[in-house]
Amino acid sequence: MALTRLRRNTHWSISAFGGISLVFGLALLAGGLRLLALGGSWYYVLAGLCLSSAGLALALGRIEGAWLYAGLLAGTFLWTLWEVGWDFWGFVPRLALLLILSIILTLLLPRLDGAPARRVTRTITAALSLCLLGAVVWAFTPHHTFRSDEMPESPAISLASQVVLPPDAFIQPADAPVDEDWAAYGRSNAATRYSPLRQIHRENVRQLARAWVYRTGDMPVEGEKKWGAETTPLKIGERLYLCSAMNKLIALDAASGKELWKYDPHVSKEHIPYTAACRGVAFYEAPQLAADAPCKRRIIEGTLDARLIAVDAADGEPCADFGRDGQVSLTEGMGKVLPAMVAVTSPPSIIRGVAVVGHQVLDGQYRHAPSGVIRGYDAVTGELVWAWDMLHPDRKGSPPAREEYARGTPNSWTIASGDEELGLVYVPMGNSSGDYYSGSRSDIENRYSTSIVALDAMTGEVRWSFQTVHLDVWDYDLGSQPTLIDFPVGEDTVPALLVPTKQGDLYVLDRATGEPVLPVEEWPAPRGNVPGNALSPTQPHSPAMPVLRKPDLTEQDMWGLTPFDQLYCRIQFRAASYDGLYTAPTLGKRWIQWPGYNGGNDWGSVAVDVERGILVANYSNVPMYNQLITREEAEERGLVALGMPGGSSESSGPQPMIGTPYGADIAPWRLFTGMLCNDPPYGSITAIDLSTGTVLWDVPLGTARRNGPFGIPTYLPINIGTPNNGGPIVTAGGLIFIAAATDELLRAIDIETGKVLWTDALPAGGQATPMTYEVGGEQYVVVMAGGHHFMETRSGDYLIAYKLPRGLTAGQRKE
């Protein structure tokens, strides 16, 4: 059959469009052949052939090229439905570029003569109109709301088989502060992040407005990246207490935000580890001191240069009775410590008058890095009460002369919880130094690595431990602070500990014994083939609770803004090693770690509404694209550790792991545009009914307003779900307050529906957990907007307080 020409002299624009389509088609064909050779989808080969044929036909002025375009559009639509169903984000890389090209072609065709051109124009225009209408509707409606039966679960135990618990049975331990205060990082040592205040509630939260803004004065200099002010203030009486990113201690009037005092410990920036961060401070009132004694009430913090500092809560003056002039060196007994190698970024936990403190040790540097020893200090005198050095369990004090705490042992960089009645402190542990290689670790290290360890607060003795990852080679250290609740089983109540993990499991343990309250199972785990890298044949799981992660990745989950992005990610997926959760590190090619080392749930932890029995947790959905490299290759690439010329304290990228046979290259799985290779959402928030173990709602957290390709903000309110750092709080008013996401918004969310009721745009990233309190009969919500370089949000030094207009608060104190 003779081909029909558009006209005798084809319009130059059609020829140019055809040439561009031909190039695009050939690129898809080449990449598609590579993907097909790796066992991937056949679509790109067919699409490449169709698009290149359409481009060639149009360049030659033949109407069949337009019909091929229409056929490709229809075929791609059907293929998209087959691969991802009606998932909005799945349509973006598969159809967006093709729709744009089809729109351009539709605009060009009317310039040409003949009925065939008019017919194909009408056909494509109708199809495009329907596609664009659907895209607009989908883009601005919520997506990815999961029910409990859509979440991954154990093949052996269904969620419905759990014991059904009464929802009013979740109570806080007796050491909770007065209702108006926020006395510890998690409000109390129980770390529920629940406030009984209800003046601000679901019906009036839309009228919440800024009451005052305080600036700490701590800002990074031009070009400085390592910044992440993660502070959650305390509120005691009529004052707020907080620390800046560089450990300046500050007291503010809780009603006005007026600065009352500031103490600068003069921490040098050479001590900044991954980021300049201070998550908070601790408060202690010494019962043995007279009411008018100096430092009767004191603020204690750990610093980036590894000091423990105590100042008078009244005036900020150092406590002369604490250590030497108000400070204790945490590097004593540690041996050689390089600047930035050991830092304290979390507040100590004070249980029975003992300030329990851990510290972070820089990952990926040396196998024999400084010790991860956990220590307890007298909160009044600063004297060392005990030290838990796991390789020397009989020692309770400082090491003997010319010795040091055992090097390379697991450390605890996050916040511990505590039970005053039981006298226990619950310490979340990381893994041993040389994070991605386990072959040189001792049996004792393997026992306590990535575990919750319950220590006697007065002696440092190990009462029990529970491990969440065996032989951890994924940096799945426990970053979340455990939460204490009284958890009923049958007619009895068990003092329980909720333990969230980076890989998304939620464990419920008896906090007196460490025994699981809900079932824990050992499931088979992928095995590796790296010489010397010991792996466990099984890993623990908590099948009776929903998980804070999405299902295992598939090729269909690969994403991008165009088919070329998605094709590239599909090729990377097929070329990498991936066997699901706990895929083993590999040599010679990349391995995919999902979730990445930044979540599931990280240091922001979870919140529990103790009245409703609802757990609220935010989590990230960011995969890593990692690789082990031989020592020889590491040396050829110039991988050197901190303390050597060119050494770095970065948490991702090349990791030298000196003292092991391997180095590592650790990075989020990204395209050159900065976009991630998996499909949205990249961060979510969920509510779980603890009485039944069911998911009430699970929705994306974060919009695209401050995010986009190449780091360029799109300012679009589309709820894409972003990576997040920082946690939620919940109130008796039925509200969740959370910042955390990279869109730099503070949100108030209805705890029962997941609906966002109110937002405020912050002047910098809100990678910190908010808090709430009452003073003068008015409830305030406060958040630190300090930004975070790892999350790529704007740096700042803003502490922002919100309250209702005065007319609304009259007579509305908490019930």
Side-chain angles (χ1 to χ4, degrees), residues 107-230:
L107 294 174
L108 293 177
L109 284 177
R111 300 183 184 183
L112 305 172
D113 295 336
R118 289 192 292 274
R119 284 196 300 272
V120 74
T121 300
R122 287 194 296 270
T123 302
I124 298 179
T125 300
L128 287 173
S129 299
L130 290 173
C131 290
L132 291 174
L133 178 61
V136 170
V137 172
W138 279 348
F140 293 95
T141 54
H143 303 286
H144 296 283
T145 300
F146 293 90
R147 300 185 307 275
S148 60
D149 59 359
E150 293 173 322
M151 306 295 283
E153 61 178 88
S154 164
I157 299 179
S158 68
L159 295 173
S161 69
Q162 317 181 32
V163 176
V164 177
L165 308 173
D168 59 350
F170 301 91
I171 61 173
Q172 295 189 99
D175 63 335
V178 297
D179 290 354
E180 293 83 2
D181 283 358
W182 194 278
Y185 179 78
R187 189 170 179 269
S188 71
N189 284 328
T192 60
R193 292 169 184 79
Y194 170 79
S195 171
L197 299 179
R198 62 183 76 233
Q199 184 182 92
I200 303 169
H201 50 74
R202 286 175 287 194
E203 284 70 38
N204 63 18
V205 70
R206 290 179 178 85
Q207 300 183 63
L208 204 60
R210 292 188 185 184
W212 50 260
V213 177
Y214 172 79
R215 302 196 66 173
T216 69
D218 248 359
M219 286 286 288
V221 299
E222 185 72 24
E224 191 172 43
K225 293 183 177 180
K226 297 193 298 182
W227 206 261
E230 301 168 349

Side-chain angles (χ1 to χ4, degrees), residues 683-732:
S684 302
I685 183 168
T686 189
I688 297 169
D689 185 338
L690 287 173
S691 67
T692 62
T694 57
V695 176
L696 300 176
W697 48 263
D698 186 297
V699 297
L701 176 65
T703 66
R705 65 178 294 272
R706 295 292 309 175
N707 302 277
F710 305 104
I712 302 171
T714 65
Y715 300 104
L716 294 173
I718 299 173
N719 202 27
I720 192 171
T722 74
N724 50 81
N725 252 340
I729 66 170
V730 294
T731 73

Side-chain angles (χ1 to χ4, degrees), residues 581-718:
L581 184 63
Y582 299 116
T583 294
T586 56
L587 279 171
K589 65 177 181 177
R590 295 277 180 173
W591 94 87
I592 297 169
Q593 181 182 346
W594 167 260
Y597 67 63
N598 202 42
N601 188 258
D602 203 354
W603 57 263
S605 310
V606 302
V608 176
D609 186 324
V610 297
E611 289 189 6
R612 297 174 175 86
I614 296 175
L615 179 147
V616 176
N618 56 301
Y619 59 102
S620 293
N621 306 310
V622 178
M624 308 293 289
Y625 205 63
N626 302 335
Q627 184 179 16
L628 281 184
I629 54 179
T630 64
R631 177 56 50 203
E632 181 181 8
E633 183 181 351
E635 292 175 356
E636 289 175 355
R637 292 173 55 176
L639 268 62
V640 295
L642 192 72
M644 302 178 182
S648 170
S649 62
E650 290 294 328
S651 59
S652 63
Q655 308 282 294
M657 300 204 308
I658 303 298
T660 76
Y662 308 104
D665 193 0
I666 308 300
W669 191 9
R670 287 182 162 184
L671 292 151
F672 73 98
T673 61
M675 304 294 287
L676 293 167
C677 258
N678 60 308
D679 61 352
Y682 303 124
S684 302
I685 183 168
T686 189
I688 297 169
D689 185 338
L690 287 173
S691 67
T692 62
T694 57
V695 176
L696 300 176
W697 48 263
D698 186 297
V699 297
L701 176 65
T703 66
R705 65 178 294 272
R706 295 292 309 175
N707 302 277
F710 305 104
I712 302 171
T714 65
Y715 300 104
L716 294 173
I718 299 173

